[in-house]
Amino acid sequence: TGGGRQGFGGGGHQQQEQPKDNLYGKDSAVKNLRRNKFPGTDAKHVWLVEFYAPWCGHCRQLKPTWERLAQELKGFVKVGAVNCEKEKGLCGMESVGSYPTIKVKKGGVSTAYEGERDLASLKQWALEQLPASIANLRKPESLDKFLAGDCVNAKYAKDGACVILFSDQVETPAWLKVASYTAKGRVAFAEARARNEALALRFDLGQFPALIAVCGGDVDHTVAYTGEVSHGMLPDKVLAWLDAFKDGAACRGAKRNPKSGAKLDATADYGKMKVSKLRAILGAHDIPCKLCAEKSDFVRAIREAIAAKAGEL
């Protein structure tokens, strides 16, 4: 990838007056950044910034890609640009030595981009830069630890709630990363990936994906996100939902709803349940069933565990 050196216009021995106007207009999705409006340590969003010179040919070539990138990253990453002809001090502070220079800014820290300047490469890299403070829940023990730890720790969950995504995917969605970064310190975040039925059962959840908030680490005190949940959705509606939890408001207004899914019940008709749910019940209670093949095997294992537990009482 080529770039123009700082301070050189090229094309002839005599230095000519170079254009200084911004490449991006006021109606552009790309935000023109100045020193007094540059993302610092208190920035709530991740920023992708192009440092350019208006006379730079490579910068002009990048412009349509940068405009499109700003549209495609809307809601996930803020996209800006700094005109180094007007902001020489800022570009000096950012150690800009050639144009265009592309950096991501998060929490006041800059990271330079060294890859190809096509739309797909830039977008993938930008989304990879989203920081994620999201616990990965795999087993009942990890869920219990999260509920008793981060969920009730004012350092991570000042608003008294934690959010759990029960996903049907194996990768963390970008919208969840944005939500965790935006609400950092207010709400703790976790995800249970790949249709983890054993953990979903604890909350009486039978469909994936599902998004819930747990108030005070209490499994029986939850608030469900009622909007559509998908891997590729935008974060804006989830962020609006999270706003309702500020200072504990949503949790105070939510009634406790006792869960029954993970409890062993002698009166339950396990024969009518799906094998996937039976497997989840076995997993939730660590009931061994290595030789289980037919549905009746799973039902028998659960019944034997209930009988053994009753014999202990």
Side-chain angles (χ1 to χ4, degrees), residues 5 29 31 70 119 160 163 179 181 183 185 187 196 210 252 280:
R5 301 304 299 176
K31 178 77 173 176
L119 181 65
V163 167
Y181 186 72
V187 179
N196 191 323
R252 284 196 301 272

Side-chain angles (χ1 to χ4, degrees), residues 103-126:
K103 294 187 176 187
V104 72
K105 296 281 293 185
K106 49 184 175 181
V109 178
S110 296
T111 304
Y113 176 69
E114 305 290 350
E116 298 295 324
R117 297 193 197 121
D118 61 281
L119 181 65
S121 299
L122 285 163
K123 183 179 179 180
Q124 180 180 344
W125 184 76

Side-chain angles (χ1 to χ4, degrees), residues 6-85:
Q6 187 170 355
F8 291 90
H13 296 290
Q14 186 175 354
Q15 186 72 34
Q16 298 176 346
E17 183 67 26
Q18 303 292 354
K20 293 186 178 182
D21 291 341
N22 293 338
L23 286 181
Y24 303 95
K26 291 182 178 180
D27 58 344
S28 171
V30 178
K31 178 77 173 176
N32 286 305
L33 298 172
R34 304 189 300 274
R35 185 168 184 171
N36 63 345
K37 287 193 175 181
F38 194 70
T41 55
D42 59 345
K44 292 184 178 180
H45 303 281
V46 174
W47 280 84
L48 188 64
V49 183
E50 174 201 3
F51 298 87
Y52 72 91
W55 46 258
C56 160
H58 291 291
C59 304
R60 290 181 176 276
Q61 288 175 2
L62 181 63
K63 181 183 176 182
T65 300
W66 206 249
E67 296 265 21
R68 176 78 181 274
L69 186 65
Q71 293 286 353
E72 295 204 4
L73 289 176
K74 189 174 182 181
F76 296 101
V77 177
K78 297 279 190 180
V79 177
V82 176
N83 182 347
C84 290
E85 284 294 329

